[in-house]
């Protein structure tokens, strides 16, 4: 079952968590990456894991 999501809240949560690990990276950059990654999956019917999937994708991009 899909739940209602707040994209801004997901971006904020992901940015907050990743900023703790990547202190040298500008928060705005992390936020921008989070928005991009969330946009990629936003058409999915099941939204329960958007925050986790977005965070994983951003961390992967930052490691590259």
């Amino acid at each position: 079952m899909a739940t209602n999501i707040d994209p801004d809240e997901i971006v904020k949560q992901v940015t907050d968590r990743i900023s703790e690990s990547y202190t040298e990276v500008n928060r705005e950059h992390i936020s921008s990456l989070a928005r991009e990654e969330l946009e990629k999956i936003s058409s999915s019917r099941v939204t329960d894991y958007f925050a986790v999937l977005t965070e994983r994708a951003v961390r992967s991009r930052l490691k590259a």
Side-chain angles (χ1 to χ4, degrees):
M1 172 195 264
T3 58
N4 292 332
I5 65 160
D6 179 356
D8 292 330
E9 183 59 28
I10 290 175
V11 169
K12 181 187 176 314
Q13 289 175 7
V14 169
T15 300
D16 289 347
R17 285 196 299 267
I18 293 176
S19 291
E20 292 176 6
S21 301
Y22 289 86
T23 56
E24 72 283 0
V25 179
N26 184 303
R27 286 182 61 86
E28 288 77 23
H29 180 63
I30 294 171
S31 178
S32 175
L33 292 176
R35 285 195 187 284
E36 288 176 19
E37 294 300 331
L38 183 57
E39 179 64 31
K40 290 179 184 178
I41 61 174
S42 65
S43 63
S44 299
R45 292 188 332 219
V46 178
T47 60
D48 295 338
Y49 302 104
F50 273 11
V52 172
L53 295 172
T54 300
E55 182 174 350
R56 177 177 282 173
V58 172
R59 286 184 185 277
S60 177
R61 288 179 66 178
L62 289 171
K63 287 180 183 177

